[in-house]
Short mmCIF file of all heavy atoms in Angstrom, two decimals:
data_model
loop_
_atom_site.label_atom_id
_atom_site.label_comp_id
_atom_site.label_asym_id
_atom_site.label_seq_id
_atom_site.Cartn_x
_atom_site.Cartn_y
_atom_site.Cartn_z
N LEU A 277 7.02 3.16 12.74
CA LEU A 277 6.96 3.99 11.55
C LEU A 277 5.53 3.97 11.00
O LEU A 277 4.92 2.92 10.89
CB LEU A 277 7.95 3.43 10.50
CG LEU A 277 7.75 3.68 9.01
CD1 LEU A 277 7.68 5.15 8.68
CD2 LEU A 277 8.88 3.02 8.23
N VAL A 278 5.02 5.16 10.70
CA VAL A 278 3.72 5.23 10.03
C VAL A 278 3.91 5.96 8.71
O VAL A 278 4.42 7.08 8.67
CB VAL A 278 2.67 5.98 10.89
CG1 VAL A 278 1.33 6.06 10.16
CG2 VAL A 278 2.50 5.30 12.24
N ASP A 279 3.51 5.32 7.62
CA ASP A 279 3.55 5.91 6.28
C ASP A 279 2.15 5.76 5.69
O ASP A 279 1.28 5.15 6.29
CB ASP A 279 4.60 5.16 5.43
CG ASP A 279 4.92 5.86 4.11
OD1 ASP A 279 4.50 7.02 3.91
OD2 ASP A 279 5.59 5.24 3.27
N GLU A 280 1.95 6.30 4.51
CA GLU A 280 0.65 6.20 3.86
C GLU A 280 0.22 4.73 3.72
O GLU A 280 1.06 3.84 3.72
CB GLU A 280 0.71 6.83 2.47
CG GLU A 280 1.66 6.07 1.55
CD GLU A 280 1.58 6.51 0.10
OE1 GLU A 280 0.65 7.24 -0.26
OE2 GLU A 280 2.46 6.11 -0.66
N GLY A 281 -1.07 4.52 3.53
CA GLY A 281 -1.53 3.14 3.35
C GLY A 281 -3.02 2.99 3.55
O GLY A 281 -3.79 3.86 3.15
N GLY A 282 -3.38 1.89 4.19
CA GLY A 282 -4.79 1.56 4.36
C GLY A 282 -5.56 2.66 5.08
O GLY A 282 -5.01 3.39 5.88
N ASP A 283 -6.84 2.77 4.79
CA ASP A 283 -7.66 3.80 5.42
C ASP A 283 -8.70 3.12 6.31
O ASP A 283 -8.54 1.98 6.72
CB ASP A 283 -8.32 4.66 4.36
CG ASP A 283 -8.92 3.81 3.26
OD1 ASP A 283 -9.14 2.60 3.50
OD2 ASP A 283 -9.15 4.32 2.17
N TYR A 284 -9.76 3.80 6.61
CA TYR A 284 -10.80 3.13 7.37
C TYR A 284 -12.15 3.36 6.74
O TYR A 284 -12.41 4.40 6.13
CB TYR A 284 -10.73 3.49 8.84
CG TYR A 284 -11.22 4.85 9.25
CD1 TYR A 284 -12.50 5.00 9.78
CD2 TYR A 284 -10.40 5.96 9.15
CE1 TYR A 284 -12.94 6.23 10.21
CE2 TYR A 284 -10.84 7.20 9.57
CZ TYR A 284 -12.11 7.33 10.10
OH TYR A 284 -12.55 8.54 10.52
N MET A 285 -12.97 2.34 6.82
CA MET A 285 -14.23 2.35 6.08
C MET A 285 -15.22 1.34 6.65
O MET A 285 -14.89 0.57 7.55
CB MET A 285 -13.94 2.01 4.63
CG MET A 285 -13.28 0.65 4.48
SD MET A 285 -12.89 0.32 2.76
CE MET A 285 -14.47 0.64 2.04
N ASN A 286 -16.41 1.36 6.11
CA ASN A 286 -17.45 0.45 6.58
C ASN A 286 -17.39 -0.87 5.84
O ASN A 286 -17.31 -0.89 4.62
CB ASN A 286 -18.83 1.08 6.36
CG ASN A 286 -18.96 2.40 7.09
OD1 ASN A 286 -18.38 2.58 8.15
ND2 ASN A 286 -19.71 3.33 6.52
N GLU A 287 -17.48 -1.94 6.62
CA GLU A 287 -17.52 -3.26 6.01
C GLU A 287 -18.50 -4.12 6.79
O GLU A 287 -18.33 -4.30 8.00
CB GLU A 287 -16.14 -3.92 6.04
CG GLU A 287 -15.11 -3.20 5.20
CD GLU A 287 -13.74 -3.84 5.30
OE1 GLU A 287 -13.48 -4.79 4.55
OE2 GLU A 287 -12.95 -3.40 6.13
N PHE A 288 -19.48 -4.63 6.11
CA PHE A 288 -20.46 -5.53 6.72
C PHE A 288 -21.01 -5.00 8.05
O PHE A 288 -21.06 -5.70 9.06
CB PHE A 288 -19.86 -6.93 6.93
CG PHE A 288 -19.41 -7.57 5.64
CD1 PHE A 288 -18.06 -7.64 5.34
CD2 PHE A 288 -20.33 -8.05 4.72
CE1 PHE A 288 -17.64 -8.20 4.16
CE2 PHE A 288 -19.91 -8.61 3.54
CZ PHE A 288 -18.57 -8.69 3.25
N GLY A 289 -21.37 -3.73 8.03
CA GLY A 289 -22.05 -3.16 9.19
C GLY A 289 -21.13 -2.74 10.33
O GLY A 289 -21.58 -2.53 11.45
N GLN A 290 -19.84 -2.64 10.05
CA GLN A 290 -18.90 -2.23 11.09
C GLN A 290 -17.82 -1.38 10.43
O GLN A 290 -17.46 -1.64 9.28
CB GLN A 290 -18.29 -3.48 11.75
CG GLN A 290 -17.14 -3.21 12.71
CD GLN A 290 -17.54 -2.35 13.90
OE1 GLN A 290 -18.55 -2.60 14.56
NE2 GLN A 290 -16.77 -1.31 14.17
N THR A 291 -17.33 -0.39 11.16
CA THR A 291 -16.24 0.41 10.62
C THR A 291 -14.91 -0.24 10.98
O THR A 291 -14.69 -0.60 12.14
CB THR A 291 -16.29 1.84 11.21
OG1 THR A 291 -17.57 2.39 10.90
CG2 THR A 291 -15.21 2.71 10.59
N TYR A 292 -14.08 -0.41 9.97
CA TYR A 292 -12.75 -1.01 10.16
C TYR A 292 -11.66 -0.04 9.75
O TYR A 292 -11.74 0.57 8.68
CB TYR A 292 -12.60 -2.27 9.28
CG TYR A 292 -13.32 -3.46 9.82
CD1 TYR A 292 -14.66 -3.68 9.50
CD2 TYR A 292 -12.69 -4.35 10.68
CE1 TYR A 292 -15.34 -4.77 10.01
CE2 TYR A 292 -13.37 -5.44 11.21
CZ TYR A 292 -14.69 -5.64 10.87
OH TYR A 292 -15.36 -6.71 11.39
N ALA A 293 -10.66 0.07 10.60
CA ALA A 293 -9.42 0.74 10.21
C ALA A 293 -8.41 -0.36 9.92
O ALA A 293 -8.32 -1.32 10.68
CB ALA A 293 -8.91 1.63 11.34
N THR A 294 -7.71 -0.24 8.82
CA THR A 294 -6.89 -1.35 8.37
C THR A 294 -5.46 -0.93 8.07
O THR A 294 -5.11 -0.71 6.91
CB THR A 294 -7.53 -1.99 7.11
OG1 THR A 294 -8.91 -2.22 7.38
CG2 THR A 294 -6.88 -3.30 6.76
N PRO A 295 -4.64 -0.80 9.08
CA PRO A 295 -3.23 -0.50 8.81
C PRO A 295 -2.57 -1.67 8.07
O PRO A 295 -2.80 -2.83 8.43
CB PRO A 295 -2.61 -0.34 10.21
CG PRO A 295 -3.76 -0.30 11.17
CD PRO A 295 -4.92 -0.96 10.52
N GLY A 296 -1.80 -1.35 7.06
CA GLY A 296 -1.06 -2.40 6.34
C GLY A 296 0.12 -2.84 7.19
O GLY A 296 0.96 -2.03 7.57
N ILE A 297 0.16 -4.13 7.51
CA ILE A 297 1.25 -4.64 8.34
C ILE A 297 2.25 -5.43 7.50
O ILE A 297 3.19 -6.02 8.03
CB ILE A 297 0.73 -5.51 9.50
CG1 ILE A 297 -0.04 -6.73 8.96
CG2 ILE A 297 -0.15 -4.69 10.44
CD1 ILE A 297 -0.14 -7.86 9.97
N ALA A 298 2.02 -5.47 6.21
CA ALA A 298 2.95 -6.17 5.32
C ALA A 298 2.73 -5.64 3.91
O ALA A 298 1.77 -4.90 3.66
CB ALA A 298 2.72 -7.68 5.36
N GLU A 299 3.61 -6.00 3.02
CA GLU A 299 3.41 -5.70 1.59
C GLU A 299 3.79 -6.95 0.82
O GLU A 299 4.70 -7.68 1.21
CB GLU A 299 4.32 -4.54 1.14
CG GLU A 299 3.97 -3.21 1.76
CD GLU A 299 4.81 -2.04 1.20
OE1 GLU A 299 5.69 -2.27 0.35
OE2 GLU A 299 4.56 -0.91 1.63
N LYS A 300 3.08 -7.15 -0.27
CA LYS A 300 3.46 -8.28 -1.10
C LYS A 300 4.81 -8.02 -1.75
O LYS A 300 5.25 -6.88 -1.88
CB LYS A 300 2.40 -8.51 -2.18
CG LYS A 300 1.07 -8.98 -1.59
CD LYS A 300 0.04 -9.27 -2.67
CE LYS A 300 0.28 -10.62 -3.32
NZ LYS A 300 -0.77 -10.93 -4.32
N GLY A 301 5.45 -9.11 -2.16
CA GLY A 301 6.71 -8.97 -2.89
C GLY A 301 6.45 -8.73 -4.37
O GLY A 301 5.29 -8.62 -4.82
N TYR A 302 7.53 -8.67 -5.11
CA TYR A 302 7.43 -8.25 -6.50
C TYR A 302 8.52 -8.93 -7.31
O TYR A 302 9.68 -8.99 -6.89
CB TYR A 302 7.64 -6.74 -6.56
CG TYR A 302 7.36 -6.11 -7.89
CD1 TYR A 302 6.16 -5.43 -8.12
CD2 TYR A 302 8.29 -6.18 -8.92
CE1 TYR A 302 5.90 -4.86 -9.34
CE2 TYR A 302 8.02 -5.61 -10.16
CZ TYR A 302 6.83 -4.94 -10.35
OH TYR A 302 6.56 -4.38 -11.57
N LEU A 303 8.16 -9.47 -8.46
CA LEU A 303 9.19 -9.99 -9.37
C LEU A 303 8.68 -9.96 -10.81
O LEU A 303 7.60 -10.46 -11.11
CB LEU A 303 9.57 -11.45 -9.01
CG LEU A 303 10.64 -12.08 -9.91
CD1 LEU A 303 12.00 -11.39 -9.76
CD2 LEU A 303 10.79 -13.58 -9.63
N ASP A 304 9.46 -9.34 -11.69
CA ASP A 304 9.18 -9.40 -13.12
C ASP A 304 10.12 -10.44 -13.73
O ASP A 304 11.34 -10.26 -13.72
CB ASP A 304 9.45 -8.04 -13.78
CG ASP A 304 8.31 -7.07 -13.55
OD1 ASP A 304 7.14 -7.50 -13.56
OD2 ASP A 304 8.59 -5.87 -13.37
N VAL A 305 9.53 -11.51 -14.26
CA VAL A 305 10.35 -12.56 -14.86
C VAL A 305 10.40 -12.36 -16.38
O VAL A 305 9.36 -12.32 -17.04
CB VAL A 305 9.79 -13.96 -14.54
CG1 VAL A 305 10.61 -15.03 -15.24
CG2 VAL A 305 9.78 -14.18 -13.03
N ARG A 306 11.60 -12.20 -16.89
CA ARG A 306 11.78 -12.09 -18.33
C ARG A 306 11.98 -13.50 -18.88
O ARG A 306 12.84 -14.25 -18.43
CB ARG A 306 13.00 -11.22 -18.64
CG ARG A 306 13.27 -11.05 -20.12
CD ARG A 306 14.54 -10.21 -20.28
NE ARG A 306 15.05 -10.26 -21.63
CZ ARG A 306 14.92 -9.24 -22.49
NH1 ARG A 306 14.31 -8.13 -22.14
NH2 ARG A 306 15.42 -9.36 -23.70
N VAL A 307 11.17 -13.86 -19.85
CA VAL A 307 11.24 -15.17 -20.49
C VAL A 307 11.74 -14.93 -21.92
O VAL A 307 11.04 -14.31 -22.72
CB VAL A 307 9.84 -15.83 -20.55
CG1 VAL A 307 9.92 -17.23 -21.15
CG2 VAL A 307 9.20 -15.86 -19.17
N GLU A 308 12.94 -15.39 -22.21
CA GLU A 308 13.50 -15.11 -23.53
C GLU A 308 13.82 -16.40 -24.27
O GLU A 308 14.43 -17.32 -23.72
CB GLU A 308 14.77 -14.27 -23.40
CG GLU A 308 15.43 -14.04 -24.76
CD GLU A 308 16.29 -12.78 -24.82
OE1 GLU A 308 16.70 -12.30 -23.74
OE2 GLU A 308 16.53 -12.29 -25.94
N VAL A 309 13.38 -16.46 -25.52
CA VAL A 309 13.66 -17.62 -26.37
C VAL A 309 14.56 -17.18 -27.52
O VAL A 309 14.28 -16.16 -28.18
CB VAL A 309 12.35 -18.21 -26.94
CG1 VAL A 309 12.64 -19.36 -27.91
CG2 VAL A 309 11.44 -18.67 -25.81
N GLU A 310 15.62 -17.92 -27.73
CA GLU A 310 16.47 -17.64 -28.89
C GLU A 310 16.54 -18.91 -29.74
O GLU A 310 16.64 -20.01 -29.20
CB GLU A 310 17.88 -17.27 -28.44
CG GLU A 310 17.94 -15.93 -27.72
CD GLU A 310 19.24 -15.75 -26.96
OE1 GLU A 310 20.23 -15.33 -27.58
OE2 GLU A 310 19.25 -16.06 -25.76
#
Side-chain angles (χ1 to χ4, degrees):
L277 155 57
V278 179
D279 191 11
E280 64 170 348
D283 46 19
Y284 75 99
M285 59 183 308
N286 301 328
E287 295 177 86
F288 300 105
Q290 171 61 48
T291 303
Y292 284 88
T294 311
I297 60 159
E299 292 185 358
K300 293 183 79 177
Y302 189 101
L303 180 66
D304 281 323
V305 176
R306 180 182 167 105
V307 183
E308 176 155 20
V309 176
E310 292 164 84

